[in-house]
């Protein structure tokens, strides 16, 4: 099921949708990191593993782009008190983008597995903190956003729900 839809087909409230998207991204990242633990894992010789890695990076980039270009702008207009939080989260997005660029570069190089795994480990720690902080600070405000503010898919940059393999469940921790 797509992370932005309830079983009855209605879009969920934006804040709840954000949490669902974050859970899905956490699951995909955990699955990707686990797949790199295999002794046979080689991004150069495994097109599926490389595609999953690049697909995850693209989905995360799309999600953060949707937040920066949609949800964060709407919240900044409606809730000026959130502007410092939104600015901090946007800065996190820049740091994440740098890590994703390094991962993209590494997937094409020799002996990419260990270096990519190290980058993914750092990314996982940063994203856990980022997602938890974002959820803590923004879910209630996003849930209050009127549906007429725009399509929630555009506001949150919903990633594609399937990168090709099953997922595992992973839960968040606290930030700041």
């Amino acid at each position: 099921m797509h992370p932005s839809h309830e079983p009855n087909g209605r879009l969920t409230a934006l804040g709840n949708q954000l949490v669902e998207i974050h859970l899905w991204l956490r699951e995909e990242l955990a699955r990707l990191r686990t797949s790199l633990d295999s002794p046979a894992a080689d991004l150069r010789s495994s097109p599926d593993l490389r595609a999953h890695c690049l697909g995850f990076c693209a989905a995360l980039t799309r999600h953060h782009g949707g937040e920066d270009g949609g949800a964060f702008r709407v919240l900044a207009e409606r809730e000026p008190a959130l502007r410092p939080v939104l600015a901090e989260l946007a800065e996190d997005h820049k740091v994440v983008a740098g890590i994703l660029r390094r991962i993209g570069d590494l997937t094409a190089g020799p002996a990419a597995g260990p270096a990519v795994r190290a980058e993914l480990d750092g990314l996982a720690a940063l994203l856990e903190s980022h997602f938890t902080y974002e959820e803590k600070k923004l879910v209630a405000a996003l849930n209050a956003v009127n549906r007429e503010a725009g399509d929630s898919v555009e506001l949150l940059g919903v990633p594609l729900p399937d990168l090709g393999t099953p997922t595992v469940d992973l839960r968040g921790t606290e930030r700041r």
Side-chain angles (χ1 to χ4, degrees):
M1 177 183 310
H2 195 279
S4 65
H5 291 85
E6 294 178 349
N8 65 9
R10 291 188 351 241
L11 287 175
T12 60
L14 288 175
N16 296 347
Q17 183 180 350
L18 178 75
V19 172
E20 290 174 11
I21 293 166
H22 286 174
L23 284 172
W24 179 77
L25 287 166
R26 284 175 172 116
E27 291 167 356
E28 290 302 316
L29 181 56
R31 196 166 49 81
L32 180 57
R33 291 171 68 210
T34 299
S35 66
L36 285 172
D37 287 340
S38 164
D42 182 354
L43 289 165
R44 288 173 296 137
S45 64
S46 173
D48 290 341
L49 183 56
R50 186 172 188 276
H52 184 210
C53 186
L54 296 175
F56 171 79
C57 291
L60 182 58
T61 298
R62 193 167 43 256
H63 170 63
H64 282 166
E67 287 179 333
D68 291 339
F72 287 6
R73 285 197 285 164
V74 169
L75 286 176
E77 290 173 17
R78 291 172 179 243
E79 301 285 340
L82 286 176
R83 287 179 183 160
V85 170
L86 298 170
E88 182 179 359
L89 291 168
E91 285 301 313
D92 281 357
H93 292 174
K94 291 176 186 174
V95 174
V96 168
I99 295 170
L100 296 178
R101 277 191 299 279
R102 287 194 302 275
I103 290 170
D105 292 344
L106 287 168
T107 60
V116 170
R117 175 57 197 233
E119 290 288 350
L120 288 174
D121 288 347
L123 179 64
L126 174 60
L127 286 179
E128 191 55 49
S129 176
H130 173 81
F131 287 163
T132 302
Y133 180 68
E134 188 173 76
E135 291 163 6
K136 180 180 175 182
K137 296 293 186 178
L138 302 184
V139 167
L142 281 169
N143 281 342
V145 169
N146 187 321
R147 292 267 181 237
E148 294 162 9
D151 183 356
S152 63
V153 171
E154 293 174 16
L155 289 175
L156 295 175
V158 176
L160 295 174
D162 182 11
L163 293 178
T165 53
T167 60
V168 290
D169 192 21
L170 194 64
R171 298 289 180 233
T173 58
E174 200 58 33
R175 176 179 180 167
R176 298 177 213 210

